[in-house]
């Protein structure tokens, strides 16, 4: 076996200090298999060594939380099902950023496959996929190829596996030129008495490998995801996994069929770091040991070594611990679904991971140092005040007045961040399963709970430009935005998952972004009674390849899930009829700092982001949900990017009905991005009691234009501007 040199250690992403810890843990030099296993388990992607200390400060509990962070996905109580059983929603969000930049189709596709497995591993049938995508400048020479590949990969995998893709978000900014972000979220539903966990227990219980065979694709994928990009990113293609959605569909059905029996003790997806992380996590969670016979691992390539088998990230694979005597029954199920099935080891009481190959022990590692005692760093971070000095965001100063609100609206509604995403979502099957009630284009996607009047509402949100200017306020706002979107359809927000995308944590300014964004998220979750039940951290998202080191904007993407007791009361953004009163709920103070109007009309990213009043967010959300439940409002839309006029234009385009605004004010109130606001319309305006909630009537629905004092823009003109960006870009 190869000699371990300093160069070998460095190539595995371990520092000198970390290698010294390996020597201490083993009491000897590791062999190459053992070094590879330490390398992936101690990678940022698997160990969260730079973020764990801060993640522990987040609120994760509530009476409706069944399982918080630590398992494959988070689990919440969503009440009774159609036959009296108690149901749970199981969901998580994860990143596949680096693979998607290198090989966009397979990177995005396998990101979808991985997050699906995290959810059905726990016994849930996936009911919805969402995604949060960040790309660089549209005129960047590589960006069109990346967008086309990522969207095709998401659609190709999700459509084939039969899970609807119902929502998400797509942003563009030069900070993502050299490192795009592809975050995928899956929501599933399970019976509460049929939830499966990953703790391997029962000394002597068989460990079973199921799914696809192991190949050489994806080796060192977790290590690659824990380093920034250099000039050689294209050479990393072999570290990108290759997915097969048809096999994934078979795997879902086979696993759910076996889960209906009493055979499974524990189950774990083979995700990042493949067979290594799945076996280590199962044994660690069960406070047990594990022995695997590598000769029994199903391989699709000749001459694979234990090193390759343990580090491969081949897709569509699972690891299980079965009850003794259940092997034959389980094998029959997987063979019926034309999937591999092999007993490859057993649970032990040694507290060690032991691997054998061709009659020899090729690995013997104590599990404690691999998982629970992995390195944990409290990395230096700037104070928030020092960070703002470093960030160099210019003060807002005197904002030039708008000479034509209508012209500004047309330009805004057609900019890349607000343009119609029709080109994207038409590539996704959003209706498979027959339970999608609302998809991309509304505030939140809504999926009916089959056989009931209930529905789940879900949304992904983050405003990275806010997070860069003030990570604390940006963290608060990302959480509050999902709360607002879910409230706007009439659902009660229950819990969130997250995907925390940042650059190099060894830079104090980046660590400040992480610390402050998490502090803001935590404060928002506590104030809104909206805990975090699962998530993912993706660091080192920067690229030297773009020259000078390019870090992404801090992007703590939030995925929120809420519950609607009666989906027939669901609200939509489209104006419903002419002659209805239009109200704004919340204060419109005209905050233009970090607004899209400032950036798109004047080319400035200046000023502080809008502050988030969490008490107001909660009060306004509760009030809107009450109005929806009582049937007093006919259309609802939250106010976010672009401000009031953009939100009104979106409502008009969704319905074909215009609006006549008596009061919109100047560019400050028309395009300011003050938080905590909703637009509602009502045919029974006199019956709405604001009860201390700021509420202003600004106009009436009707006509074929969005009009106000001094401007009138036809809906047809708005639609043309809104549709043009993707159409012209992709056809050009």
């Amino acid at each position: 076996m190869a000699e371990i040199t300093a160069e070998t250690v460095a190539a595995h992403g371990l520092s000198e200090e970390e290698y010294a810890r390996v020597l201490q843990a083993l009491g000897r030099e590791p062999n190459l298999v053992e070094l590879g296993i330490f390398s992936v388990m101690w990678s940022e992607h698997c160990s969260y060594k730079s973020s764990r200390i801060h993640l522990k400060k987040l609120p994760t509990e509530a009476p409706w939380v069944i399982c918080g962070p630590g398992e494959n996905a988070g689990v919440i109580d969503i009440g009774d099902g159609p036959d009296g059983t108690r149901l749970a929603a199981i969901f998580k969000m994860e990143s596949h950023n680096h693979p998607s930049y290198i090989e966009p189709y397979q990177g995005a596709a396998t990101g979808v496959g991985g997050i699906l497995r995290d959810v059905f591993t726990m016994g849930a049938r996936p009911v919805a996929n969402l995604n949060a995508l960040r790309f660089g400048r549209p005129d960047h020479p590589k960006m069109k190829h990346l967008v086309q590949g990522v969207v095709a990969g998401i659609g190709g995998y999700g459509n084939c596996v039969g899970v609807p893709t119902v929502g998400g978000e797509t942003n563009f900014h030069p900070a993502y030129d050299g490192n795009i972000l592809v975050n995928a979220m899956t929501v599933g539903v399970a019976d509460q008495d049929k939830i499966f966990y990953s703790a391997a227990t029962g000394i002597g219980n068989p460990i079973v490998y199921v799914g696809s065979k192991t190949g050489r694709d994806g080796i060192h994928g977790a290590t690659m995801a824990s380093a920034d990009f250099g000039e050689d990113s294209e050479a990393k293609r072999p570290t990108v996994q290759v997915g097969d959605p048809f096999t994934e569909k078979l795997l879902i059905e086979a696993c759910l069929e076996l889960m209906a029996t009493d055979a499974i003790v524990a189950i774990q997806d083979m995700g990042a770091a493949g067979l290594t992380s799945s076996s280590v996590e199962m044994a660690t969670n069960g406070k047990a040991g594990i022995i695997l016979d590598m000769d029994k691992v199903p391989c699709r390539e000749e001459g694979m070594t234990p090193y390759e088998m343990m580090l491969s990230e081949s897709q569509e694979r699972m690891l299980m611990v079965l009850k003794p005597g259940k092997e034959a029954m389980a094998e029959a199920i997987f063979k019926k679904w034309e999937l591999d099935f092999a007993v490859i080891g057993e649970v032990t009481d040694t507290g060690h991971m032991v691997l054998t190959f061709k009659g020899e022990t090729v690995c013997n590692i104590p599990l404690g140092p691999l998982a629970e005692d992995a390195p944990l760093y409290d990395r230096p971070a700037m104070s928030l005040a020092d960070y703002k000095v470093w960030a160099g965001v210019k003060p807002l100063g005197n904002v030039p007045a708008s000479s034509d609100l209508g012209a500004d609206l047309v330009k805004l509604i057609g900019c890349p961040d607000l343009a119609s995403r029709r080109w994207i979502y038409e590539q996704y099957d959003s209706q498979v399963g027959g339970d999608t009630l609302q998809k991309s284009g509304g505030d939140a996607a809504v999926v009916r709970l089959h056989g009931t009047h209930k529905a789940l509402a879900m949304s992904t949100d983050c405003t990275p430009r806010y997070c860069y200017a003030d990570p604390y306020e940006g963290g608060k706002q990302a959480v509050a935005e999902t709360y607002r979107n879910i409230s706007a359809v009439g659902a009660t927000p229950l819990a969130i998952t997250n995907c925390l995308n940042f650059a190099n944590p060894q830079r104090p300014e980046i660590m400040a972004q992480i610390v402050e964004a998490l502090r803001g998220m935590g404060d928002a979750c506590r104030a809104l009674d909206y805990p975090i039940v699962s998530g993912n951290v993706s660091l080192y998202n920067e690229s030297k390849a773009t020259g000078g080191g390019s870090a992404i904007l801090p992007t703590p993407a939030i995925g929120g899930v809420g519950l609607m007791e009666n989906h027939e009361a669901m609200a939509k953004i489209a104006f419903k009829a002419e002659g209805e009163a239009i109200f704004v709920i919340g204060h419109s103070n005209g905050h233009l700092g970090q607004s899209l109007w400032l950036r798109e009309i004047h080319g400035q990213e200046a000023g502080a982001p809008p502050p988030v009043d969490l008490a107001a967010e909660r009060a306004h959300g509760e009030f809107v949900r009450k109005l929806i439940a009582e049937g007093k409002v006919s259309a609802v839309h939250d106010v976010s990017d672009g401000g009031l006029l953009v939100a009104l234009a979106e409502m008009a385009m969704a319905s074909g009905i215009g609006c006549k605004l008596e009061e919109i004010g100047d560019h400050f109130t028309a395009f300011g991005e003050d938080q905590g606001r909703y637009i509602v319309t009502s045919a029974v305006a006199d019956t709405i009691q604001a009860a201390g909630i700021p509420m202003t009537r600004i106009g009436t629905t009707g006509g074929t234009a969005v009009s106000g004092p001094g401007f009138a823009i036809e809906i047809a003109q708005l639609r043309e501007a809104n549709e043009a960006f993707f159409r012209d870009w992709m056809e050009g």
Side-chain angles (χ1 to χ4, degrees):
M1 196 166 282
E3 180 188 357
I4 305 300
T5 65
E7 290 74 21
T8 310
V9 172
H12 281 76
L14 293 171
S15 67
E16 290 182 14
E17 178 193 353
E18 287 170 344
Y19 186 62
R21 291 184 61 162
V22 172
L23 296 178
Q24 183 179 8
L26 292 177
R28 57 176 170 80
E29 290 272 351
N31 61 38
L32 190 61
V33 175
E34 293 165 335
L35 182 69
I37 287 170
F38 272 105
S39 163
V40 292
M41 290 307 299
W42 285 7
S43 69
E44 199 73 65
H45 197 71
C46 291
S47 74
Y48 297 169
K49 58 192 174 187
S50 297
S51 57
R52 280 202 328 266
I53 196 168
H54 303 290
L55 294 172
K56 290 177 180 177
K57 302 172 188 175
L58 295 172
T60 60
E61 296 179 348
W64 52 89
V65 174
I66 296 171
C67 178
E71 274 291 340
N72 286 290
V75 186
I76 58 172
D77 181 354
I78 53 173
D80 291 336
D83 53 1
T85 58
R86 296 289 288 182
L87 295 178
I90 299 180
F91 57 98
K92 191 181 181 184
M93 192 180 200
E94 277 203 341
S95 63
H96 230 222
N97 303 333
H98 285 37
S100 298
Y101 183 80
I102 296 167
E103 176 43 68
Y105 185 95
Q106 288 297 346
T110 51
V112 173
I115 197 64
L116 282 165
R117 287 194 300 280
D118 277 339
V119 167
F120 75 74
T121 292
M122 298 195 70
R125 179 171 290 279
V127 298
N129 286 333
L130 300 91
N131 52 74
L133 312 176
R134 320 283 168 183
F135 296 107
R137 292 167 293 142
D139 59 359
H140 184 281
K142 193 172 182 177
M143 212 50 58
K144 184 174 172 180
H145 161 73
L146 289 172
V147 172
Q148 290 172 329
V150 165
V151 171
I154 291 169
Y157 204 99
N159 297 353
C160 292
V161 86
V163 177
T165 300
V166 297
E169 53 180 338
T170 305
N171 296 140
F172 296 87
H173 192 280
Y176 304 103
D177 280 356
N179 198 125
I180 64 172
L181 301 184
V182 175
N183 297 171
M185 176 177 171
T186 294
V187 181
V189 176
D191 291 349
Q192 288 187 23
D193 61 355
K194 288 283 174 62
I195 295 171
F196 292 83
Y197 299 100
S198 63
T201 57
I203 307 308
N205 279 348
I207 296 170
V208 175
Y209 172 122
V210 300
S212 290
K213 287 180 168 62
T214 294
R216 291 188 170 96
D217 53 324
I219 293 173
H220 288 305
T223 309
M224 176 194 68
S226 305
D228 56 15
F229 278 144
E231 301 286 352
D232 62 342
S233 60
E234 291 298 318
K236 294 182 178 178
R237 280 183 190 275
T239 61
V240 178
Q241 310 93 324
V242 178
D244 179 353
F246 299 105
T247 299
E248 182 101 340
K249 175 62 174 172
L250 300 177
L251 189 58
I252 291 174
E253 299 303 331
C255 286
L256 292 175
E257 183 174 336
L258 184 60
M259 286 166 170
T261 72
D262 66 344
I264 299 174
V265 174
I267 181 169
Q268 179 78 24
D269 159 45
M270 288 193 220
L275 189 50
T276 292
S277 64
S278 54
S279 56
V280 169
E281 287 166 12
M282 289 176 81
T284 301
N285 291 344
K287 296 179 169 46
I290 193 165
I291 184 167
L292 302 179
D293 183 349
M294 305 308 291
D295 295 296
K296 295 181 178 176
V297 174
C299 293
R300 66 167 182 260
E301 298 183 46
E302 291 293 324
M304 288 192 69
T305 66
Y307 178 94
E308 292 171 324
M309 292 181 221
M310 292 304 290
L311 270 59
S312 167
E313 293 184 9
S314 294
Q315 296 292 286
E316 294 86 41
R317 302 179 301 158
M318 311 282 278
L319 201 63
M320 299 181 182
V321 177
L322 299 182
K323 293 180 180 177
K326 301 292 185 180
E327 297 94 327
M329 178 194 70
E331 182 173 13
I333 290 173
F334 281 89
K335 293 298 184 187
K336 180 184 77 174
W337 290 100
E338 300 180 342
L339 296 165
D340 275 279
F341 177 98
V343 178
I344 65 168
E346 65 180 50
V347 179
T348 69
D349 61 359
T350 64
H352 280 232
M353 166 185 266
V354 177
L355 309 178
T356 64
F357 184 62
K358 298 189 184 304
E360 295 184 7
T361 297
V362 294
C363 170
N364 189 340
I365 302 177
L367 285 164
L370 269 186
E372 292 176 331
D373 302 327
L376 178 62
Y377 297 128
D378 187 0
R379 298 198 186 276
M382 288 181 176
S383 68
L384 184 56
D386 287 346
Y387 167 79
K388 289 180 180 179
V389 173
W390 172 86
V393 176
K394 294 178 181 176
L396 192 58
N398 293 322
V399 179
S402 174
S403 58
D404 188 335
L405 294 182
D408 287 358
L409 174 60
V410 171
K411 186 171 181 179
L412 265 182
I413 209 75
C415 78
D417 274 10
L418 292 176
S420 168
R421 269 61 179 141
R422 182 190 309 277
W423 179 87
I424 294 177
Y425 64 69
E426 284 188 346
Q427 297 185 55
Y428 303 154
D429 187 339
S430 61
Q431 298 298 334
V432 62
D435 287 321
T436 304
L437 302 177
Q438 186 162 206
K439 56 179 181 177
S440 299
D443 281 321
V446 181
V447 176
R448 175 177 51 204
L449 291 171
H450 205 74
T452 76
H453 288 290
K454 295 180 179 181
L456 293 175
M458 53 205 78
S459 177
T460 65
D461 290 288
C462 182
T463 312
R465 63 184 187 276
Y466 293 176
C467 296
Y468 180 80
D470 186 333
Y472 174 71
E473 285 295 338
K476 284 164 61 179
Q477 192 272 342
V479 172
E481 175 83 2
T482 65
Y483 183 89
R484 211 154 52 232
N485 281 331
I486 289 168
S487 296
V489 299
T492 301
L494 291 179
I496 68 173
T497 183
N498 59 65
C499 194
L500 307 176
N501 308 272
F502 295 91
N504 186 339
Q506 296 175 57
R507 294 164 54 189
E509 64 272 16
I510 303 301
M511 205 62 221
Q513 294 174 347
I514 297 169
V515 171
E516 293 299 329
L518 286 171
R519 186 168 70 91
M521 287 166 51
D523 284 354
C525 290
R526 281 182 282 269
L528 300 173
D529 210 6
Y530 194 33
I532 295 169
V533 297
S534 61
N536 170 241
V537 179
S538 175
L539 303 181
Y540 295 94
N541 287 292
E542 57 185 80
S543 172
K544 296 183 177 69
T546 53
S550 169
I552 63 161
L553 299 181
T555 311
I558 304 296
V561 174
L563 180 65
M564 193 180 296
E565 289 295 339
N566 180 6
H567 61 70
E568 292 181 2
M570 177 183 69
K572 295 185 176 182
I573 74 169
F575 292 143
K576 192 168 275 186
E578 301 215 358
E580 296 194 339
I582 304 172
F583 294 93
V584 178
I585 293 169
H587 290 292
S588 297
N589 297 318
H591 191 103
L592 287 177
Q594 297 301 321
S595 65
L596 275 188
W597 179 85
L598 191 67
R599 188 180 86 192
E600 296 298 324
I601 305 301
H602 295 291
Q604 298 179 33
E605 292 190 359
V612 180
D613 181 335
L614 293 168
E617 285 285 0
R618 182 163 183 163
H620 299 175
E622 289 171 350
F623 179 58
V624 166
R625 296 197 300 271
K626 180 173 180 285
L627 292 178
I628 294 170
E630 292 173 351
K632 292 184 176 180
V633 289
S634 53
V636 182
H637 192 12
D638 93 305
V639 181
S640 55
D641 280 350
L644 278 177
L645 262 190
V646 165
L648 288 160
E650 289 169 343
M651 298 174 87
M653 288 188 295
S655 61
I657 299 171
C659 58
K660 299 168 185 173
L661 306 173
E662 300 129 22
E663 192 178 320
I664 194 66
D666 57 14
H667 55 289
F668 285 97
T669 50
F671 302 113
E673 296 180 5
D674 306 272
Q675 299 296 294
R677 294 184 299 165
Y678 301 79
I679 296 172
V680 301
T681 60
S682 178
V684 290
D686 294 342
T687 70
I688 296 177
Q689 300 297 316
I693 304 291
M695 188 168 170
T696 307
R697 179 167 178 162
I698 60 169
T700 307
T701 60
T704 61
V706 173
S707 62
F711 72 94
I713 305 295
E714 289 290 321
I715 295 172
Q717 185 181 355
L718 289 169
R719 281 203 181 117
E720 170 56 26
N722 191 235
E723 296 284 347
F725 167 70
F726 271 104
R727 181 193 66 211
D728 295 350
W729 189 30
M730 291 303 163
E731 291 178 1

